[in-house]
Amino acid sequence: MSDITVTTEDGKTSVCSPYDTTFVSKAKTIGGRWNGPAKAWQFDARDENRVRDLLREVYGTDGSPTDDSDLVTVRVRLADHEVSYRDGADAKFAGRRIATRPGRDSDVRLAANVVLIAGKLPSTGGSMRYPQINAGDDVIVEVRDIPRATLSLEREGSYEIVGETRGEVDVDALLTEREQLLARLAEIDALLPEPEGTETTTQEAAKALGVSVRTVQRWAATGKVEARKNDQGRWIITITI
């Protein structure tokens, strides 16, 4: 989803995403703070995984390149996706706001990549305090460029896939993401204590390592595995766990 971006630098993870009351509420519970000038939510970088989990929970995606490479076009009955009147005059699909009515007597505004396929949108809806879209059952809209992964947020049968687009994977973005993950793994390895070792016989070691006993004995003799000889002159192998 191109309208979601996550960047981490200088100890901060920044998120740009469409406005959603659920995301705002839950972002605060994990220390999120709104940065007005940057127009982004900011978190401690140590909470990046929690932030990405929250994005997937609310929007169905965290904006990863792999999600944006597999897009679908769907058709939905707009009335099926209108939110509660107390949550605003909106209709949402797969974590995206697809339509809104700013005021009771204002025209319904369809979001980018959303087009009216059938039916007619009413010219008024709701009350002055609580405007609503109030689409009839005949109003069908087409929502384009939806990451397939976000469909998990919707009830099966509440949409019809009418098109698929498998775009080219952004190799540079994937390489950058891999470098970030490898760097984080290196940080985790540095923080973890040294693994403890379990001493075992050559037969048990061979079974655990998937090799023959003779191979384990040769590795012990050449120092390829950590080993010592017991009082009977038999090899005792140390396997780290």
Side-chain angles (χ1 to χ4, degrees), residues 50-152:
R50 294 187 180 92
V51 173
R52 290 186 179 276
D53 287 342
L54 175 57
L55 287 169
R56 285 188 286 268
E57 175 187 339
V58 175
Y59 300 104
T61 176
D62 63 0
S64 298
T66 49
D67 286 345
D68 284 343
S69 68
D70 189 5
L71 306 176
V72 297
T73 295
V74 302
R75 288 184 181 177
V76 301
R77 183 163 46 217
L78 192 60
D80 292 342
H81 300 279
E82 292 186 42
V83 301
S84 167
Y85 75 94
R86 292 188 181 275
D87 293 329
D90 295 336
K92 295 183 179 180
F93 180 81
R96 177 187 299 187
R97 185 169 66 179
I98 59 176
T100 187
R101 188 191 295 277
R104 182 192 66 180
D105 300 320
S106 301
D107 290 337
V108 174
R109 298 176 183 174
L110 298 179
N113 291 328
V114 179
V115 295
L116 181 65
I117 298 299
K120 183 178 180 180
L121 291 165
S123 59
T124 184
S127 64
M128 293 293 290
R129 184 177 181 183
Y130 297 115
Q132 285 289 282
I133 293 175
N134 280 351
D137 289 341
D138 62 332
V139 176
I140 306 297
V141 296
E142 188 170 281
V143 188
R144 298 166 180 168
D145 297 336
I146 293 285
R148 187 185 300 274
T150 67
L151 296 179
S152 62

Side-chain angles (χ1 to χ4, degrees), residues 22 34 40 45 65 80 83 161 189 207 219-220 237-238:
T22 301
W34 174 250
D80 292 342
V83 301
I161 297 177
D189 287 341
K207 184 177 180 180
W219 286 353
I237 311 300
T238 299

Side-chain angles (χ1 to χ4, degrees), residues 4-235:
I4 292 179
T5 59
V6 180
T7 56
T8 297
E9 58 183 2
D10 299 328
K12 294 289 183 181
T13 293
S14 298
V15 174
C16 294
S17 64
Y19 178 78
D20 185 277
T21 54
T22 301
F23 178 77
V24 170
S25 175
K26 293 190 175 183
K28 294 177 180 178
T29 67
I30 54 176
R33 296 290 183 272
W34 174 250
N35 185 325
K39 295 183 179 180
W41 281 89
Q42 290 190 326
F43 306 81
D44 189 306
R46 290 171 293 186
D47 295 314
E48 180 177 348
N49 288 338
R50 294 187 180 92
V51 173
R52 290 186 179 276
D53 287 342
L54 175 57
L55 287 169
R56 285 188 286 268
E57 175 187 339
V58 175
Y59 300 104
T61 176
D62 63 0
S64 298
T66 49
D67 286 345
D68 284 343
S69 68
D70 189 5
L71 306 176
V72 297
T73 295
V74 302
R75 288 184 181 177
V76 301
R77 183 163 46 217
L78 192 60
D80 292 342
H81 300 279
E82 292 186 42
V83 301
S84 167
Y85 75 94
R86 292 188 181 275
D87 293 329
D90 295 336
K92 295 183 179 180
F93 180 81
R96 177 187 299 187
R97 185 169 66 179
I98 59 176
T100 187
R101 188 191 295 277
R104 182 192 66 180
D105 300 320
S106 301
D107 290 337
V108 174
R109 298 176 183 174
L110 298 179
N113 291 328
V114 179
V115 295
L116 181 65
I117 298 299
K120 183 178 180 180
L121 291 165
S123 59
T124 184
S127 64
M128 293 293 290
R129 184 177 181 183
Y130 297 115
Q132 285 289 282
I133 293 175
N134 280 351
D137 289 341
D138 62 332
V139 176
I140 306 297
V141 296
E142 188 170 281
V143 188
R144 298 166 180 168
D145 297 336
I146 293 285
R148 187 185 300 274
T150 67
L151 296 179
S152 62
L153 296 176
E154 297 296 335
R155 176 177 54 82
E156 189 175 350
S158 67
Y159 58 87
E160 177 190 3
I161 297 177
V162 295
E164 303 180 34
T165 302
R166 289 187 176 273
E168 294 184 3
V169 175
D170 188 335
V171 176
D172 290 337
L174 288 175
L175 289 174
T176 299
E177 184 176 359
R178 184 178 68 176
E179 290 176 0
Q180 292 172 342
L181 291 172
L182 290 174
R184 180 55 183 155
L185 286 173
E187 293 175 358
I188 293 173
D189 287 341
L191 293 172
L192 289 174
E194 288 295 323
E196 297 180 356
T198 298
E199 290 192 332
T200 184
T201 65
T202 53
Q203 289 183 335
E204 292 172 337
K207 184 177 180 180
L209 297 172
V211 296
S212 67
V213 172
R214 187 178 296 276
T215 296
V216 173
Q217 292 172 338
R218 186 172 67 253
W219 286 353
T222 58
K224 191 172 181 179
V225 294
E226 185 178 348
R228 66 175 178 83
K229 285 191 174 182
N230 62 14
D231 295 339
Q232 289 76 39
R234 296 174 180 172
W235 286 113

